[in-house]
Amino acid sequence: MTNNVEILRYAAFTGDPEGGNPAGIVLDAEALSDAEMLAIAAEVGYSETAFVTGRDGEGRGFRVRYFAPSAEVAFCGHATIATSVALAERIGAGRLVFDTNAGEIVVDAFVDGEVLRATLTSVPTRSAPVAEKVLDETLAALGWSRDDLDRAFPPHVAFGGNDHLMLAAASHERLADLDYDFDGLRSIMTREGWTTVNLFWRESDERFHSRNPFPVGGVVEDPATGAAAAAFGGYLRTIGTGSDEFTIIQGADMGRPSELKVSIAAADGRTRVSGGAVAM
């Protein structure tokens, strides 16, 4: 308990409490102010904490807000998966509807073997090329050059609830060697309105590896980023590359391996992102 508020801690996109991306969850946050929610998120220290601030009369629709340690974010995928599993443990599996600052997010919670999993359906996605000058600034902050990029994947800014820069590494080694200018990248991201930079490497059309610097949230890196995965699905659909169903491996370089299952709904531009979650 913190300030008489019960804070749950779940790891998302994993079945192992030692893996995945930790999320804080406050299921009864209706009486909390914005300042109190931000203070709790900072104290918890995870990349995001989800706050359930309201519930509809039928009991399966919820108002949810997300706070990083330093700011509120419109949408967070891993905290959505974690909150959905926590709610399903209490009210049963099935469909949930989250009213978020990014829009309505439908989530289906279900039992898969011995693990509760959830699949979120994102808001409609979009993607467009990043400005060349901004790309050069970002590469300099990352310590990358254009030769480090996979030219099969043009750099884009993609949206799936938040904006994320998409940068493809030419090799797994380049992706694994992450040592960037925290303040410099944060300044660029704040100016451009990006939530994370989604760095990825294609192992195959069905399997990608990803890392997500998150300095605007006050943390160096996110071990599993459902919002970026949703945006990434929209990005791949826009550029016409990859499979309609694929897996993202993230967090392995941080010692918190995560697995995100992604499918693209081509008709409406939404992305479905699925994963398990367990209490820590």
Side-chain angles (χ1 to χ4, degrees):
M1 303 285 286
T2 299
N3 297 326
N4 297 318
V5 174
E6 183 180 11
I7 302 169
L8 307 176
R9 290 168 170 82
Y10 277 63
F13 295 113
T14 183
D16 180 357
E18 299 298 319
N21 195 356
I25 305 167
V26 179
L27 293 178
D28 186 12
E30 187 172 356
L32 296 177
S33 68
D34 290 9
E36 288 171 327
M37 287 188 279
L38 182 60
I40 290 170
E43 183 176 337
V44 171
Y46 297 153
S47 57
E48 276 97 2
T49 295
F51 296 84
V52 179
T53 61
R55 186 169 181 167
D56 70 13
E58 296 182 1
R60 299 194 72 88
F62 302 87
R63 171 71 173 129
V64 183
R65 296 174 66 184
Y66 309 93
F67 284 81
S70 62
E72 184 174 12
V73 297
F75 174 64
C76 172
H78 86 274
T80 294
I81 296 296
T83 302
S84 300
V85 167
L87 287 168
E89 289 174 342
R90 289 156 176 80
I91 66 174
R95 176 153 291 189
L96 307 168
V97 180
F98 287 1
D99 173 20
T100 77
N101 288 351
E104 183 178 278
I105 304 295
V106 175
V107 189
D108 292 297
F110 57 97
V111 178
D112 182 12
E114 297 182 356
V115 177
L116 261 172
R117 297 175 64 88
T119 300
L120 68 85
T121 300
S122 77
V123 298
T125 60
R126 60 177 182 266
S127 185
V130 65
E132 294 294 319
K133 180 180 178 182
V134 176
L135 174 60
D136 287 335
E137 289 180 304
T138 305
L139 291 174
L142 288 168
W144 288 27
S145 73
R146 290 190 180 237
D147 289 339
D148 290 317
L149 300 177
D150 184 343
R151 297 184 185 279
F153 296 92
H156 270 217
V157 175
F159 176 84
N162 305 307
D163 282 327
H164 305 262
L165 178 64
M166 301 286 148
L167 290 179
S171 68
H172 199 187
E173 292 74 20
R174 171 69 277 182
L175 183 66
D177 183 15
L178 182 62
D179 182 16
Y180 68 91
D181 177 354
F182 186 92
D183 291 335
L185 186 59
R186 179 175 59 187
S187 177
I188 297 167
M189 293 173 66
T190 300
R191 184 191 72 208
E192 299 298 322
W194 303 337
T195 298
T196 72
V197 174
N198 185 53
L199 306 173
F200 66 94
W201 172 72
R202 176 176 58 181
E203 180 180 338
S204 71
D205 283 349
E206 290 76 35
R207 188 176 175 90
F208 293 84
H209 297 256
S210 176
R211 302 187 74 170
N212 269 240
F214 188 34
V216 295
V219 296
V220 173
E221 183 179 358
D222 215 5
T225 319
F232 184 56
Y235 162 73
L236 291 180
R237 178 174 177 267
T238 296
I239 67 173
T241 299
S243 171
D244 286 346
E245 296 187 358
F246 55 91
T247 298
I248 298 173
I249 304 299
Q250 193 178 340
D253 296 287
M254 303 173 63
R256 297 198 68 94
S258 308
E259 184 177 89
L260 299 82
K261 298 289 189 180
V262 183
S263 61
I264 303 169
D268 59 8
R270 298 175 190 264
T271 307
R272 291 184 291 270
V273 182
S274 179
V278 291
M280 298 172 63

